[in-house]
Amino acid sequence: MTTPVPPPTPRNALGTISVLHASILLRAAAAEGADTAALADNFRLGSDTLGSPAARISIPRFMRLGHAAIAQTGNRALGLRMGALTRPVDAGIAGLAGQSAPTAGAAISTLVRYSLLTSQNSRGAPSVQPAERKVRFYSIRPYNGFNFFVVDSVLAAWTQFIRNVTGHYDVLERVTIEYPSIGLDDQFEAWFRCPVQFGAAENALTIKPDLWRQPSLQAQPAMHEKLVELCDRELQQIERGWSVGDRVRHLLTPLLRGETPSLETIAGKLGVASWTLQRQLAAEGTRFRELVDDTRKHLARDYIRETSTSLAEIAWLLGFANPPAFHKAYRRWFGISPGEHRQQLRATD
């Protein structure tokens, strides 16, 4: 059984991921001839950490690990190899619950529904649109050499999962990928066995109609029911630890893209009136505007410290109207400009 993760206000505001995913990455790198012992040592991933289902690492650290592995192997499509080597158990009890579901559609829906058990990203959460047989991975723009593989590995792992539960290899109708082509279109289409559109509006898989409805080869009703109960229990335990402020932050962060979400928008997503949300936040000693500012502050610090994202892109990701507004806020928070702070941090690495 996996151990519940903390509420979505982790030490790294950009999010955390289970080391199960790091283990998959290292398996894929080893298959490509990388020195994985050196990689693990460089990223402080000892055997005790990698062997713990409860251990987590920050999203930026995971992306740097992937970038280093790609640099060692020279395989820019390492995410596809990760997907090929992913097993249902690598998603913890969510993977086992999905594997035992009655149909392929129910299997992938179960896996995605409990994704929070192994990954919490400030950018959003994956989703399923059953009517369209579509499985969506959220946007992680802006794209660069550090995060292409993340999209590849998620979409490939979902594809491999569907192949696993159906026993079929040609399971997809279409794949769309948000980032632009990196010149490996034929390799991607050969791996996914369907058309792949780069520069698309979303990261998503569309599953073939007959495959969506197909019974799972590992279907086991009693075990599925028991595992879903365990997943629900752990998910409830996670969410029970969230304050109203935590829930607001969880909804707020993915919406901070070029704009500031309103109190009314967040209240609507929580299913309460705006005045009710104001009252609940006041009872916790905070206000909506303070939460927005605090969320931006923590995200800004981690973008500057953990990533090479440009300052203009960070300003957009945090919902500022323009880069000067971001610079002004950063000086208010930390007493230094974001560019100067990044230089200081790099000098001490």
Side-chain angles (χ1 to χ4, degrees):
M1 185 190 307
T2 56
T3 299
V5 299
T9 52
R11 182 172 58 184
N12 190 294
L14 301 180
T16 60
I17 192 168
S18 168
V19 293
L20 292 170
H21 296 284
S23 295
I24 298 166
L25 200 166
L26 291 172
R27 270 205 313 270
E32 294 287 322
D35 183 351
T36 52
L39 279 172
D41 185 60
N42 289 342
F43 286 86
R44 303 185 303 282
L45 294 170
S47 56
D48 288 345
T49 299
L50 289 169
S52 170
R56 298 170 80 87
I57 63 174
S58 73
I59 295 290
R61 188 170 159 210
F62 177 70
M63 291 194 296
R64 290 198 300 272
L65 174 63
H67 186 261
I70 290 169
Q72 265 205 35
T73 63
N75 183 1
R76 291 185 295 159
L78 187 65
L80 300 184
R81 178 59 79 98
M82 289 174 63
L85 295 176
T86 299
R87 308 160 299 176
V89 71
D90 291 319
I93 59 171
L96 298 177
Q99 187 179 28
S100 59
T103 65
I108 191 67
S109 297
T110 301
L111 181 72
V112 169
R113 182 164 74 248
Y114 297 113
S115 61
L116 186 62
L117 299 182
T118 57
S119 176
Q120 186 270 309
N121 194 316
S122 65
R123 300 295 194 88
S127 61
V128 176
Q129 296 171 274
E132 300 177 31
R133 310 177 314 282
K134 183 181 288 187
V135 191
R136 297 177 64 252
F137 182 59
Y138 47 87
S139 174
I140 55 172
R141 288 188 295 164
Y143 289 102
N144 52 51
F146 285 85
N147 62 9
F148 291 148
F149 87 94
V150 175
V151 176
D152 304 343
S153 64
V154 171
L155 298 183
W158 287 345
T159 303
Q160 194 68 16
F161 181 78
I162 299 162
R163 289 170 175 169
N164 180 283
V165 300
T166 63
H168 292 279
Y169 197 70
D170 295 332
V171 296
L172 302 180
E173 206 170 70
R174 186 174 182 233
V175 173
T176 57
I177 293 177
E178 217 179 18
Y179 66 77
S181 170
I182 57 172
L184 302 177
D185 300 34
D186 291 344
Q187 184 175 346
F188 274 70
E189 293 200 342
W191 196 93
F192 285 108
R193 301 290 287 268
C194 71
V196 178
Q197 178 190 355
F198 290 90
E202 61 183 1
N203 301 308
L205 306 176
T206 301
I207 300 168
K208 290 183 174 181
D210 54 331
L211 269 297
W212 182 268
R213 297 185 294 267
Q214 181 168 318
S216 169
L217 295 177
Q218 287 87 39
Q220 217 298 332
M223 182 59 69
H224 179 65
E225 182 180 356
K226 183 65 176 177
L227 288 167
V228 165
E229 286 178 6
L230 287 173
C231 289
D232 281 333
R233 196 178 308 155
E234 293 205 1
L235 195 59
Q236 288 166 9
Q237 191 169 343
I238 293 170
E239 294 177 346
R240 228 184 347 256
W242 294 0
S243 65
V244 175
D246 290 329
R247 295 178 189 277
V248 169
R249 289 187 190 94
H250 185 58
L251 293 169
L252 182 66
T253 306
L255 299 176
L256 284 173
R257 293 176 182 172
E259 60 181 338
T260 303
S262 67
L263 172 69
E264 290 73 21
T265 296
I266 299 298
K269 288 184 174 294
L270 288 170
V272 300
S274 55
W275 65 267
T276 300
L277 179 55
Q278 286 178 314
R279 177 174 53 78
Q280 291 172 338
L281 291 175
E284 293 180 355
T286 190
R287 295 178 299 173
F288 181 72
R289 291 181 64 178
E290 290 173 352
L291 274 177
V292 172
D293 192 63
D294 188 60
T295 299
R296 282 173 160 162
K297 175 182 177 180
H298 285 88
L299 288 170
R301 177 201 60 198
D302 286 344
Y303 276 124
I304 291 296
R305 181 182 62 194
E306 302 277 10
T307 79
S308 297
T309 305
S310 73
L311 300 184
E313 288 170 334
I314 294 173
W316 179 81
L317 286 167
L318 298 182
F320 285 99
N322 50 59
F326 166 56
H327 282 247
K328 182 178 179 181
Y330 203 92
R331 279 193 175 277
R332 173 169 57 82
W333 293 327
F334 302 107
I336 189 173
S337 76
E340 291 170 331
H341 199 187
R342 177 171 272 171
Q343 288 179 347
Q344 282 187 4
L345 292 169
R346 286 178 176 172
T348 59
D349 282 346

